[in-house]
Amino acid sequence: MSTIRLKNIRIFANHGCLTEEEKIGSDYIVNLKVTADLSRAAKTDELGDTVDYVQLQRIVREQMAIRSKLLEQVGQRIIDEILKEIKLVDSVRVRVSKINPPIGGDVAEVSVSMSSRR
């Protein structure tokens, strides 16, 4: 198995339980790790034989655009869509972080990490 990572995908979205979060929105960082057998791609040098980074980033952006109250739901949607769309992927690990969350204190970020295997 090989690993592909997308690090620090910056996205503005409107997730959260508070009405203000829905209206104002926040900055998020998404980190993604997928595993897959990339041995064929290593031999052929063809994009069709690997996991396309552009497709991974598109899935993250599309799922982050769908409003949720909880980061857990967003993370699970990202995982589910990657496993649905990209048959080559064996496992997915995602971390969704809300930057400067409105939780009544000086907190740089809150994050949820989730993973799943085929």
Side-chain angles (χ1 to χ4, degrees), residues 45-103:
D45 198 29
E46 294 294 329
L47 182 59
D49 292 331
T50 192
V51 177
D52 187 350
Y53 317 146
V54 174
Q55 186 177 13
L56 290 172
Q57 200 251 10
R58 176 189 53 78
I59 291 169
V60 168
R61 288 203 171 276
E62 287 175 355
Q63 296 306 313
M64 287 295 292
I66 301 168
R67 177 163 161 52
S68 293
K69 292 178 184 173
L70 302 178
L71 298 181
E72 291 86 343
Q73 186 183 66
V74 180
Q76 191 61 56
R77 280 200 320 264
I78 292 169
I79 290 169
D80 292 346
E81 194 62 26
I82 289 170
L83 291 175
K84 178 180 147 193
E85 283 192 33
I86 309 173
K87 302 303 179 201
L88 189 59
V89 170
D90 182 57
S91 70
V92 180
R93 180 168 184 82
V94 64
R95 186 170 108 205
V96 181
S97 302
K98 180 183 279 191
I99 307 305
N100 196 20
I103 60 174

